[in-house]
Amino acid sequence: MEACLRYDVAETRLLLVQAGERHEIPIRAQAHRLVGHMAGRNAAGGGEPVLCTHDELMHAVWADEPMHSRVELAKLVWELRRKLEPFGAGDLIENERRLGYRIRTCPSP
């Protein structure tokens, strides 16, 4: 089985599932909002990675707070990828140029 991410909404935990092992990935509050939103969209879309637009993700992370930009969103995604890279799993978050991002979550049990 290839690597995937599992987000536990109730416990606000991000787990990398890889080669039968689970690794908890510590992330900050904004990243929890980002991953939680993307994982929820995947679940609603039948488990396949769903493209989430930049605007949709910025709203999910910062609601209607003014003064947040796509640069900040890109930095947040970059931080997440850096946490996954030691496991060779940075590609679980995909960029769709000029549109948004997708995240590869695990199929629901």
Side-chain angles (χ1 to χ4, degrees):
M1 178 180 145
E2 61 183 68
C4 59
L5 294 169
R6 176 160 286 137
Y7 188 73
D8 184 327
V9 177
E11 295 185 20
T12 58
R13 293 173 63 204
L14 177 62
L15 298 172
L16 169 64
V17 180
Q18 184 179 50
E21 294 183 13
R22 294 166 176 247
H23 306 278
E24 185 165 353
I25 308 295
I27 56 176
R28 59 190 178 110
Q30 291 172 335
H32 277 288
R33 290 193 291 271
L34 178 78
V35 173
H37 177 80
M38 294 178 83
R41 292 270 280 127
N42 285 2
E48 291 298 310
V50 173
L51 175 68
C52 297
T53 66
H54 293 115
D55 290 343
E56 170 189 349
L57 292 172
M58 288 170 54
H59 182 75
V61 174
W62 294 290
D64 291 324
E65 289 179 28
M67 307 302 293
H68 292 286
S69 67
R70 286 186 182 186
V71 172
E72 284 178 273
L73 179 62
K75 184 176 186 290
L76 190 56
V77 170
W78 178 82
E79 284 176 20
L80 268 169
R81 283 189 179 131
R82 281 222 12 205
K83 300 263 184 169
L84 296 170
E85 281 171 3
F87 302 98
D91 63 342
L92 292 179
I93 302 168
E94 302 166 7
N95 179 21
E96 182 99 8
R97 196 169 169 85
R98 291 198 276 287
L99 295 176
Y101 298 94
R102 285 186 180 85
I103 192 168
R104 198 171 326 138
T105 51
C106 302
S108 296

